[in-house]
Each structure stands twice: as C-alpha cells, then as structure tokens.
Amino acid sequence: MQHIIGIFDNDDKVVDAIHLLKKQNIAIADVHAPFGSHHILRDLGKESRIPYGSVLSGAFAIIATFSFIYWTSVINYPLLIGGKPTFAFPSWVVTIYLMTILLTFVGTVIIFQMRTKMMFGNKAPIVHDESTDDKFIMIIEQTKDMTDQQVDKIKKLLVDQGALEVKMQDLQIA
Amino acid sequence: MDQKYTFSSKVKYRLAGLIVLGLLATIYGFISNPDKTWANLLLNNFYFLSLALGAMFFIAVQYVTESGWSAMFKRIPEAMAFYVLVAGAIAILLFFGMQSLYEWAEPGITETDKLIAHKSPYLNVPFFMVRLVVVFAVWLILLVIMRRNSLKEDLAGSLALFNKNKRLSMAFIFLFVISFSVATIDWIMTIDSHWYSTIFGLRAIISSIYYAVAVMILLSFFLKGKGLFKEMNISHRHEFSRYIFRLSIVWGYLWFVQYIIIWYANIPEATTYYVPRVSEPWSPLFYAELLINWTIPFVVMMSDDFARKKIVMISISIMLLIGFYIMLYLQIMPGSIGIKSFGLVDIGMFAGFAGVFLFIFFTFFAKAPAMPVNHPYLKESLSREL
Amino acid sequence: MINTLVRGTFTAREKSFRQVTDDIARPTYSNAAKWWYVAMGIATLMLLFGLWAIYTSIAVGLGTWGLNNSVAWGWDIINFVWWIGIGHAGTAFTIFLIVFRAKWAAIFNRTAEAMTVLAVACAGLFPALHLGRIWLIFFILPYPNTRGPLWVNFNSPLFWDVLAITTYLTLSLTLWYFGMLPDLATLRDRSKSKIAKAVYGFFSMGWVGSVKNWIRYEAMIKVLGGLAAPLVISVHSIVALDFAISVIPGWHTTILPPYFFVGAIFSGFAMVMTLTIFIRKLYNLQDYITIPHLESIARVLIFGSLVIGLAYLTEMFVAWYSGWEFEMFTFLKNRATGEYRTAFWIMVFCNALVPQLFWFRKIRTSIAWMLIISIIINIGMWYERFIIVVSSLSHTFLPATWTSYSPTIVDIGIYVGTFGIFFTGILLFLKYIPSIAINETKAFSKKSSH
C-alpha cells in the first residue's frame, strides 16, 4: 500500500499539521515520535483500556489469595500458631495486599504484551531510522479513492507545515 | 481576578443561628451531663482545630513542594486556619474540665496508681497548661506572620515576600510536626493514661491535612457557586481528588500499622486500648471508621475520571467529615466517659462549632481578594489544563 | 502549560534532540575509559572476596559468622535492611516522576532504578544465606508437599518479607526494563555494530514509537507506577514489621514502619546523590544532571533527616513515658548511655544532625559537601540498623543471656561481596545502557509553545 510520509523535526509542527489534516477529513495512519508528546497522542489516539484489565487482575488477585489462605490455614491444615485464631485476618491482609500488587502488575504487563503483540526479538517496522532519535514521521495512507491531485495537496500541505521531506513509500502496516 | 467575597448578612444570620443552637446545646449539656459535655467540647474543638491546622499545613506543603496548581485557592486554607484563635480560647477553658476528662488529673491519683506517678513529671496540670499555651503561641505567631506576608504580596507583588513565606513554611512544617504531636498526645492520647503508641501523633498529622482538603473541596465548590473561582476546571478537581485518594492510602496505612502491631504482639499494656473498641457497643463504629475513612474513598477514587466528578468529590468529602467525627469519637469517648451515647446535644454542639468555624472562615475570607493576585504561581494555576 | 520561573531551571542550556541522544548514549558506543577498567577490577576483587565468604558460609556453616545464641541476627539482617533501604530510591524516583509529576526526578530515574534492582538483589542474598541450608529455600513456597501437607505460615512476617522482596524485585526490574524500551530502540537505530544492533533490537521488542506504542505504553507505565507507590511504602514497612510485631523492647513500637520507610528513602536518595555526582563528572553530563537537580535531592534529605530525628526523639520520650522498665533500659541505658553509646551517637550525628547543613544554600550547592554528606548519611543509616538489631538482641529480658556481638571476617566478606555485585552491576549498566532516560529528557527539555 502506498503511503505519504512526512518527516518533521519538531513536534509543534506535527501538531499543527494534524489539526489542518483533521479539518480536511484526511485520516492519519500513524505518527512515529521519539518521545511521547501528549499533544500528538491526544489528537490521534484513543484512550487505552489497559487500566480496566489491571483492575480486573487486581480483583482476581484479592479473591484468589484470600481463598487460598483460607483454604490452607482454616480448612486444609488448621494449625494454631502463637495463640492466634486460625482465621487470623489482620495478618493475612499483608499477604493479600502484596499478592494483589504482584498479580495486578503481572496481569497488566501480560495484557500490554498481548495488546501490543510486543515480544523479545520482534522485528521493528521501521519507516525512518531516525524516528527514535530526533525526527517525527507522519504517515498518511493513500486510499483507493484518493486522486493524484489530493495526494499532491496533502504533500503540499505537509511541506507548508515545515516538513523536511515528503515522499511516497510502500508500507505494509496495519 | 481581585474579586472579593461579600459576607452577606443572610449568611451571617444563618451561621449565628447555628452558633446559638450550639450554645443552647452546650448549656443544656452542662446541666444534664457535664462529663459528656466536656468530652464533647474537647472533641469538637479538636475536630475544627485539626481542620484549621491541616489547612495551614496544606499551604506550607504547597510552598515547600513548589506546587503551582493550588495557588488560586490559597485564600481558602488561609481563612480556615484562623479558627486557631477560637480553639485556643476553648482549649484553655478545658482547664476546668480536666478532672472529668483525664484520669491523671484527678487529685491524689499519683498515690494509688504507680504508672501515673511515674508519668507525673510530664502529666501534671501546670506543665500541661504550659505546653498548651506554647503550642498555640507557635501556631498563632506563624499564622499571623504568614497571612500578613500573603496580604502584603497582594499589594507589592515582590518575590521577596514569597521567599519569606517559603522559609516560614519550612519552619512551620518542622514546628507543626512536633507541636501537633505533643498536642494530640496531651489532649487525646493521655485520656487512656496507661496506654501509649508512638504513631499516634503522626496519625493526627496526616488526618489533619486529609480532612482539611475535604473541607477545602467543599468550600471551593460552594464559592464557585457564588461566582468566585471561575477558572476552577477539571485539572484542579483532578489534583484535589488525587490528594484525597493518596491521603486515604496513607491514612489506611497508618491505621493498619498501629492496629496490626498491637494486635500481633498482644501485650496487655497495648491491647487494653483496642479491646473495648472492638467489642460491643463500640465495635460498629470501629469498623465504620475504617470503612468510611479508607475503604470507600480508596475504591471510589481509584479511577481518575470518576474521582473528578463534582458529585463524587462532594459526597466523598461530606462522608469524610463524618468519618473524622467517628475517628475522634472513638479516640475520646471510650476512655473518658466509657458510655456510648449520641443524641441531639451532640449534634447541636457540633453544629455550633461548625457555625463558629464557618463564621470565622467567611469573615477572614471576605477581608482579602479571593485569589492571591500577585502570587508567582497564580498564572500557572489559572491557566492550568489537564 | 505555563512554567513559572521561580522554581529555577533544570537544563543548563538548550539542546537539540540529536544532541541529547548523542550526549547520553555516547558511552554505549564508544570504548570504555581507563577508570572504568580500574573500577571494574576493584569491584571484581570485592566480588571474589564475597564469593569466598559465601562459599565458606555454605560449605562450613553459619558457625563462621559472628552470631551467637542471643544475637541470632547480626550483620546479615543489618546489611539486608541497609540494602533494601538503598533499593527504595529507584522506585521513589519513579513515584515522584509518575505520580507527582516532578520533572526533576526524570533525570535520576534510570540510574536510581538500576540501583534498586541491584540493591534489592544484594539484600535478598542475606536472608537466603542466613537459612544455613540455602538449598532448602523452596520450602518457603506454599506448594502441596509431603510434610502434612504443612503450608507455610501466612501469619509470619518472615514469609511476608519473602513475598515483599520477590514482588519488589519483579516490579522494579520490569519497570526499569519497560522504562528503557524506547531508549533501547534508539540505541538499536543509532548503533553501528551489527551485534549491538541485533542485541538492542532483540530487547526493544519492535518498538518504533508509533501512536499506539506510546499510548499503550504510557497507560501501562502509569498503572505500574501507581502500583509501585503503595508497594514501596509497604516493602520497608514489612521489613519493619519483622521487628515491630515482636515483643522485644526497642523493636515493639508502632512508629517503626513509617520510620523505616522514611529512613529507606533517606538512605536511598543519599546513595543516588553519591552515584550521580560521580556519573555526571565521569560522563560529562553536567548539562543534564545540574546543581538544581542535586539540590532537589538535598531538600528531600533535609526532610528525611527531620523525620528521622523526630522519630528518635519520640522513641526516647515514649520509652520513658511508657513506664515499662525494659523499654526504658533499652532506650535510655543500653542505647544512649550504655555499651552501644558510641554507635548510638554516631547514628544521631550522621542522620539527624549532619544533613541539617543542607539548610545552607552554600552547602546545598557545593558538590564536595554533597558528596561528603551523602556518604555520611549512608554510614549513619548503617549504624541505625546496627543499633536496632544488635542493641535490642544482646540485652533482652534475661541478664544471664546478655552478650556482645562482633562480626567475623566471613560476615565482612559477604558485605564486601555485595558491594562487588552492586558496583559491577552499576558499571555494566553505565557501559551498555544510557544512564538517563533519553526520551523523557527530550520530552521535558523541549520548550514548547503548547
């Protein structure tokens, strides 16, 4: 698929370009940035739903840990330790608390890995090898109903907004 | 921006009504049950004193941590802090009720109680009063100086005054932590005169700022309704709600630490404090205290988006104010009067104190522009976005 | 967003994004300096000494340690608590950064987190070795077994400790790793050598910095940072509970958990200060780790020192106030005026008094003073743990059991060995990973109109 690539060296310019393109109803496929600029992210992305997954893992952790301690200490092998009742809830709090943090944490990381499909050794779909250094790469898909004039218009717009370089590139990105 | 609040006579009359109600309840209380009334005076006075000092602590924390977001609200805690004036007077009045509040103040107790005799170099009435006067003097002096600098800043707008207040804030935090620890140990912890806990002062310090922020939230919403603080937006609500959320964690942590150490070690000297509180008739309050002050705020405020809804913030803040009452009630009542009772007199007295607190707040709030016009962070605070 | 200038600025001069990358990442693709090899040599020697000591403790047994029947916890637990305390700094910086959004913390975050991982690993070594039979360490896991099945004691603070340390190590390691994901991608794209490209590429998980990358990444980091905040409070509190829930005088006091926590932040920040003073000099990062940055740490240290001083006072006062003779003996006689008075007053001097010098601007902005004071603090914090552990154990309820305690060469060897682990780790980190978060520095250093 052909894409229009605009290379910028300043995120303010990118933000302005995004605003202009949005006004003209042109969809931006992606922006590669060397740091998480909140203005770019706010304009382009949806809010991540990862935190909901975290809450779920946390709830699971609380229930699972409590049930496990209850089963081991009260049902399976009730052992009196230091004169405390077998159902010694106050001191279980610490274990439950720690397990909640641990499992929520692990759950969040797993969900993140699943959502982003990030794994060790993945090949990076690099569009421009300075996008992790000091360049901002704007990618606009050339849809089928886009005429050449429109493409030229977008290119001109990007150049007007201060893009260092604008080019067409064949990319396989989702 | 330099709008002032006008303390209308309508509000004045309403608050005066509350104060009269409180006075009547107090007088009736002294006739029917003087012991309980002394305990109530202590409770309510400490309640609002905590809010006042917590407000001052909040200002100091803002200065020291160089937080900009809160600059526009600075006058709210500043005015709240002036309740210290009344609190001092009432605290000195408590001198006459000491014998019904504190076991150690009863004459002749040192001869029968060895432990109190050991503590008597610290726990005696003259030294108690000296400490009381000293801590109030410290708070009042710092409050008056900081307020004066703040008002001067409105006219002059020099960075020198800001830096002065910053240094005073450091001094205040330092002195406050010591003096408020001493004060809570003196006034509240010694009610159970045999018992001790090293964390007691710290809990009171954290509680003071926790509930003071709740009051600040309520007052800022109220004043916004009156046309002030137009610039208050979601980012300020966010910061306020984060304060409540984080402090609820700290509060719960300190509560748990004290409880588990005493529960686990199971030393009779320490457990005497908790035994009556976890058994009838106090136990419902014991669990309610934890639920209201920690569990509910913690769970409800967990989600950022939900926590900054106005209705959520207001209801949580009101709930916390009830929670604070329960907390102090549990700290004071079992040791001092030992009977659980709550009735119209208690409500009346609380209303009276609330009236005084608000009356003082509005009086001092109306004296100065609602926002510190020349505060260096004010611009940042006003134009803040999420 | 308006940035009020009253706070002082944190970047010495403006840098382009390219310069930021070059300055910070340079050590990773240039040859190591001479000092690096010297330091590495010393660290390796320390490590070898430690390995010998560990071998002796396992092969011969714990009789080679200075422990005795009364003082069954000695240098092992002191050093354990000390290292855990130092380990708190990294997560504390993460909290300052993610939860409180304090920009100055960003600069220290990476180094401090590396320190955390290494310090917690060092700390974990001590209780493991103290088991004596380290090969049975898996008994602590609650698994169905043939001993009953006898489950682990969920009410035991020692079990909580194991769980807390494991959780903490997992969390800090992951947070540190994910924190540098974008930077690893930068190194992948910047490095010339094929091996480096492949290795950094393997670990950067295909990061390109797309919008989805960033959004999900930031959402995750925020959750992880939010989890780290309560965890960091709880880890040292749980270590404190090891002591506080016992009935030993001097240990059983309710303020111990918060006091331990503040102590941990205190010693951790001091260690970060010591290390970054060296790093900024050796790697020419003065433009990034500026004096105002170090000043911010100094402010936190003043605060920590005040709280600790207050805790010392409260403990002494309440010991007397309690009227309990054992408590009074421990605090007022044994610690303040008795056998351990030297250590006690060193502790008070180093922790409560010396850091107060930071009130003076001159001292707060002088590198030499900061270096000296931060080292003094860490010595003081070591003495604090010594006082807590040894003074209480050596003189308990029964005078017939009173003894003294002194470490042996094996004790010292393990302690030195943990320094070896720590410093080799730090040196490797400095060589292969940028010591400052590049992407965050770019995000914060930029002067934006938005």
Side-chain angles (χ1 to χ4, degrees):
Chain A
M1 197 102 69
Q2 280 293 319
H3 287 78
I4 307 165
I5 312 284
I7 297 163
F8 293 79
D9 64 348
N10 183 323
D11 60 328
D12 294 339
K13 292 175 189 165
V14 179
V15 175
D16 292 340
I18 292 172
H19 286 295
L20 274 177
L21 288 168
K22 268 196 168 173
K23 253 184 221 155
Q24 305 184 8
N25 282 325
I26 297 165
I28 298 157
D30 210 343
V31 172
H32 290 188
F35 58 86
S37 162
H38 287 263
H39 294 281
I40 297 179
L41 298 184
R42 195 184 299 167
D43 287 332
L44 284 184
K46 279 187 300 184
E47 211 176 314
S48 167
R49 282 166 305 181
I50 286 177
Y52 295 100
S54 315
V55 172
L56 282 183
S57 358
F60 165 77
I62 292 176
I63 296 167
T65 316
F66 177 81
S67 326
F68 182 69
I69 303 182
Y70 190 85
W71 179 72
T72 53
S73 322
V74 180
I75 299 169
N76 187 255
Y77 202 124
L79 192 63
L80 275 178
I81 298 160
K84 292 278 182 286
T86 46
F87 183 51
F89 187 69
S91 66
W92 296 1
V93 169
V94 181
T95 313
I96 295 173
Y97 172 87
L98 285 170
M99 284 305 285
T100 309
I101 289 184
L102 182 63
L103 294 185
T104 312
F105 181 83
V106 173
T108 310
V109 172
I110 290 175
I111 293 167
F112 173 77
Q113 302 273 37
M114 276 162 53
R115 289 290 295 157
T116 55
K117 299 200 179 57
M118 276 188 165
M119 211 36 276
F120 292 110
N122 275 9
K123 211 174 134 38
I126 297 170
V127 177
H128 188 289
D129 67 355
E130 280 171 350
S131 72
T132 53
D133 186 356
D134 64 342
K135 298 290 189 296
F136 298 79
I137 317 297
M138 185 183 278
I139 304 167
I140 301 161
E141 192 183 327
Q142 184 190 8
T143 45
K144 276 174 200 140
D145 52 337
M146 217 182 252
T147 59
D148 283 351
Q149 279 116 340
Q150 271 171 316
V151 172
D152 287 342
K153 216 176 96 190
I154 294 170
K155 278 185 176 172
K156 187 171 175 304
L157 191 147
L158 292 181
V159 173
D160 288 347
Q161 286 308 311
L164 301 178
E165 192 190 339
V166 179
K167 59 180 177 182
M168 299 301 285
Q169 201 170 328
D170 200 22
L171 291 177
Q172 295 298 327
I173 51 170
Chain B
M1 213 156 61
D2 46 358
Q3 254 179 316
K4 270 191 185 180
Y5 174 75
T6 36
F7 191 7
S8 66
S9 46
K10 201 176 91 188
V11 182
K12 260 184 203 165
Y13 286 132
R14 279 187 195 163
L15 291 176
L18 276 183
I19 297 170
V20 171
L21 183 78
L23 269 178
L24 290 176
T26 315
I27 292 166
Y28 178 76
F30 271 121
I31 296 165
S32 63
N33 188 350
D35 282 1
K36 175 76 196 280
T37 311
W38 281 119
N40 251 335
L41 266 183
L42 173 68
L43 193 161
N44 286 310
N45 196 38
F46 190 81
Y47 185 102
F48 289 101
L49 174 66
S50 281
L51 295 181
L53 290 172
M56 229 175 135
F57 187 38
F58 179 84
I59 300 177
V61 169
Q62 303 307 307
Y63 269 111
V64 171
T65 57
E66 306 185 330
S67 302
W69 71 272
S70 60
M72 64 191 262
F73 302 105
K74 193 180 156 221
R75 287 284 140 81
I76 296 179
E78 233 173 62
M80 276 165 70
F82 277 92
Y83 179 76
V84 174
L85 290 169
V86 181
I90 296 176
I92 290 172
L93 204 70
L94 279 175
F95 172 70
F96 301 101
M98 277 179 77
Q99 290 186 20
S100 58
L101 281 173
Y102 304 110
E103 199 188 356
W104 54 265
E106 286 165 24
I109 187 98
T110 47
E111 281 143 40
T112 51
D113 193 320
K114 256 174 74 184
L115 204 56
I116 290 179
H118 169 82
K119 296 179 187 194
S120 60
Y122 185 77
L123 290 185
N124 59 63
V125 178
F127 192 31
F128 179 90
M129 293 314 283
V130 168
R131 289 192 304 262
L132 191 148
V133 171
V134 169
V135 292
F136 271 107
V138 168
W139 299 332
L140 272 177
I141 290 169
L142 280 169
L143 171 62
V144 169
I145 299 176
M146 280 174 74
R147 167 78 168 190
R148 206 168 52 198
N149 285 343
S150 170
L151 292 185
K152 257 195 224 160
E153 196 182 54
D154 276 2
L155 306 173
S158 75
L159 214 55
L161 286 164
F162 173 79
N163 286 330
K164 226 184 230 170
N165 261 1
K166 196 169 160 185
R167 250 171 272 139
L168 281 170
S169 299
M170 292 178 194
F172 176 76
I173 291 180
F174 181 60
L175 292 171
F176 170 71
V177 169
I178 296 174
S179 57
F180 200 53
S181 301
V182 169
T184 30
I185 288 174
D186 277 5
W187 304 339
I188 314 257
M189 199 174 95
T190 61
I191 288 175
D192 300 272
S193 53
H194 286 195
W195 180 77
Y196 59 90
S197 169
T198 37
I199 210 174
F200 204 86
L202 191 58
R203 278 194 72 199
I205 289 163
I206 293 299
S207 302
S208 75
I209 187 170
Y210 186 27
Y211 302 108
V213 173
V215 174
M216 281 173 61
I217 290 173
L218 292 176
L219 287 172
S220 57
F221 275 122
F222 172 79
L223 292 167
K224 198 184 179 197
K226 295 276 171 240
L228 296 160
F229 299 115
K230 285 194 199 73
E231 291 84 355
M232 180 179 176
N233 62 23
I234 192 164
S235 72
H236 304 103
R237 295 211 301 273
H238 174 80
E239 296 291 340
F240 271 132
S241 68
R242 286 302 91 186
Y243 255 88
I244 294 289
F245 178 68
R246 288 172 201 150
L247 285 168
S248 82
I249 296 176
V250 179
W251 191 96
Y253 164 71
L254 295 177
W255 184 94
F256 180 71
V257 160
Q258 176 172 311
Y259 182 72
I260 193 158
I261 289 176
I262 290 174
W263 174 86
Y264 205 114
N266 215 2
I267 299 176
E269 281 91 339
T271 47
T272 46
Y273 184 75
Y274 276 114
V275 167
R277 283 166 177 82
V278 294
S279 43
E280 285 296 323
W282 307 97
S283 59
L285 286 178
F286 179 80
Y287 297 110
E289 182 197 356
L290 184 64
L291 192 74
I292 293 181
N293 288 313
W294 174 70
T295 321
I296 297 179
F298 175 74
V299 173
V300 169
M301 307 291 254
M302 192 133 50
S303 150
D304 275 7
D305 290 333
F306 192 61
R308 32 186 201 233
K309 286 194 170 48
K310 185 179 168 184
I311 181 78
V312 174
M313 288 175 70
I314 289 180
S315 31
I316 290 283
S317 301
I318 291 174
M319 200 188 67
L320 282 179
L321 293 181
I322 300 170
F324 189 28
Y325 193 90
I326 297 177
M327 174 182 165
L328 289 179
Y329 189 83
L330 263 181
Q331 284 180 346
I332 292 171
M333 295 303 174
S336 60
I337 54 168
I339 303 157
K340 186 173 135 188
S341 69
F342 189 79
L344 284 176
V345 177
D346 306 69
I347 296 174
M349 282 181 73
F350 181 79
F353 272 91
V356 175
F357 179 80
L358 288 175
F359 197 90
I360 291 174
F361 169 77
F362 285 122
T363 312
F364 280 91
F365 189 70
K367 275 189 181 169
M371 286 182 199
V373 278
N374 280 323
H375 196 288
Y377 293 154
L378 185 64
K379 233 188 206 157
E380 182 185 333
S381 173
L382 290 175
S383 60
R384 208 182 141 81
E385 39 184 316
L386 201 60
Chain C
M1 193 166 138
I2 292 175
N3 224 336
T4 315
L5 283 174
V6 189
R7 293 190 188 90
T9 79
F10 281 126
T11 35
R13 59 192 154 93
E14 262 186 80
K15 301 261 183 184
S16 72
F17 295 146
R18 170 63 57 85
Q19 262 175 312
V20 172
T21 318
D22 280 346
D23 287 349
I24 300 175
R26 187 173 301 118
T28 59
Y29 49 76
S30 52
N31 287 331
K34 225 179 240 156
W35 67 264
W36 191 87
Y37 289 104
V38 175
M40 197 65 179
I42 298 171
T44 316
L45 284 179
M46 288 163 108
L47 188 62
L48 288 175
F49 186 25
L51 284 177
W52 166 80
I54 290 171
Y55 172 76
T56 316
S57 338
I58 295 174
V60 182
L62 294 196
T64 53
W65 291 10
L67 303 175
N68 52 49
N69 281 340
S70 300
V71 186
W73 270 3
W75 267 47
D76 50 323
I77 200 83
I78 297 168
N79 297 333
F80 162 71
V81 180
W82 189 76
W83 274 119
I84 283 280
I86 286 179
H88 271 55
T91 325
F93 277 111
T94 313
I95 296 167
F96 272 98
L97 180 67
I98 297 173
V99 182
F100 295 119
R101 281 184 246 145
K103 290 181 179 180
W104 60 269
I107 222 83
F108 299 108
N109 204 17
R110 175 73 49 76
T111 312
E113 278 182 355
M115 244 180 65
T116 295
V117 174
L118 289 164
V120 173
C122 290
L125 191 64
F126 286 101
L129 285 173
H130 192 230
L131 287 177
R133 290 182 288 173
I134 195 173
W135 51 93
L136 293 180
I137 196 165
F138 62 90
F139 275 21
I140 198 73
L141 299 173
Y143 64 99
N145 53 52
T146 50
R147 303 180 297 270
L150 191 60
W151 298 101
V152 297
N153 181 4
F154 291 104
N155 303 326
S156 162
L158 299 178
F159 173 73
W160 305 342
D161 242 4
V162 174
L163 192 57
I165 305 288
T166 322
T167 308
Y168 194 38
L169 193 59
T170 319
L171 194 138
S172 53
L173 193 63
T174 320
L175 202 54
W176 179 60
Y177 174 69
F178 276 111
M180 62 197 184
L181 203 57
D183 287 2
L184 291 177
T186 306
L187 291 181
R188 171 198 66 202
D189 297 343
R190 296 274 304 168
S191 55
K192 307 260 174 337
S193 93
K194 263 207 172 129
I195 303 169
K197 243 187 167 56
V199 173
Y200 288 126
F202 179 80
F203 284 107
S204 59
M205 293 189 178
W207 178 275
V208 283
S210 66
V211 171
K212 271 187 182 158
N213 274 169
W214 278 114
I215 285 186
R216 289 184 182 134
Y217 173 77
E218 294 204 333
M220 180 190 64
I221 290 284
K222 205 176 152 206
V223 172
L224 300 193
L227 286 171
L231 181 70
V232 79
I233 299 176
S234 71
V235 171
H236 220 65
S237 301
I238 287 167
V239 173
L241 285 183
D242 288 348
F243 301 97
I245 62 171
S246 70
V247 291
I248 306 285
W251 290 4
H252 178 71
T253 168
T254 45
I255 205 168
L256 213 64
Y259 152 51
F260 260 49
F261 169 66
V262 175
I265 297 292
F266 185 55
S267 64
F269 274 44
M271 193 59 138
V272 170
M273 194 182 235
T274 317
L275 278 183
T276 42
I277 284 175
F278 283 113
I279 292 174
R280 76 194 280 274
K281 180 87 190 100
L282 294 169
Y283 286 117
N284 284 322
L285 293 174
Q286 283 95 333
D287 287 348
Y288 298 91
I289 306 171
T290 59
I291 298 284
H293 281 116
L294 293 169
E295 242 185 295
S296 302
I297 296 191
R299 291 210 180 93
V300 177
L301 289 179
I302 299 178
F303 162 77
S305 166
L306 284 176
V307 174
I308 285 183
L310 187 72
Y312 292 160
L313 278 177
T314 317
E315 278 190 329
M316 298 294 263
F317 169 70
V318 173
W320 170 80
Y321 178 83
S322 72
W324 199 33
E325 53 189 341
F326 297 106
E327 198 86 7
M328 282 198 280
F329 167 79
T330 305
F331 279 100
L332 307 176
K333 288 232 176 71
N334 198 20
R335 288 189 186 176
T337 54
E339 194 184 326
Y340 294 98
R341 62 175 182 275
T342 328
F344 179 83
W345 291 109
I346 289 178
M347 165 187 101
V348 172
F349 176 76
C350 293
N351 294 340
L353 300 178
V354 171
Q356 302 304 325
L357 289 173
F358 279 140
W359 286 105
F360 301 105
R361 210 188 135 72
K362 258 208 179 121
I363 290 177
R364 207 165 62 218
T365 51
S366 138
I367 293 290
W369 273 106
M370 281 196 274
L371 186 61
I372 294 168
I373 294 178
S374 62
I375 291 172
I376 287 181
I377 288 173
N378 268 315
I379 295 173
M381 287 311 287
W382 192 89
Y383 271 101
E384 181 189 302
R385 277 67 185 250
F386 176 81
I387 281 289
I388 291 173
V389 174
V390 175
S391 78
S392 279
L393 277 180
S394 64
H395 293 65
T396 47
F397 301 103
L398 195 63
T401 62
W402 287 6
T403 45
S404 297
Y405 169 81
S406 57
T408 62
I409 186 81
V410 180
D411 279 317
I412 297 169
I414 298 177
Y415 186 43
V416 173
T418 48
F419 273 109
I421 299 176
F422 185 74
F423 285 126
T424 37
I426 288 285
L427 287 167
L428 287 175
F429 157 75
L430 289 174
K431 176 73 190 76
Y432 293 109
I433 296 167
S435 59
I436 298 173
I438 301 176
N439 66 86
E440 270 160 11
T441 310
K442 284 176 190 163
F444 282 147
S445 73
K446 139 189 149 52
K447 287 210 165 61
S448 161
S449 55
H450 285 279

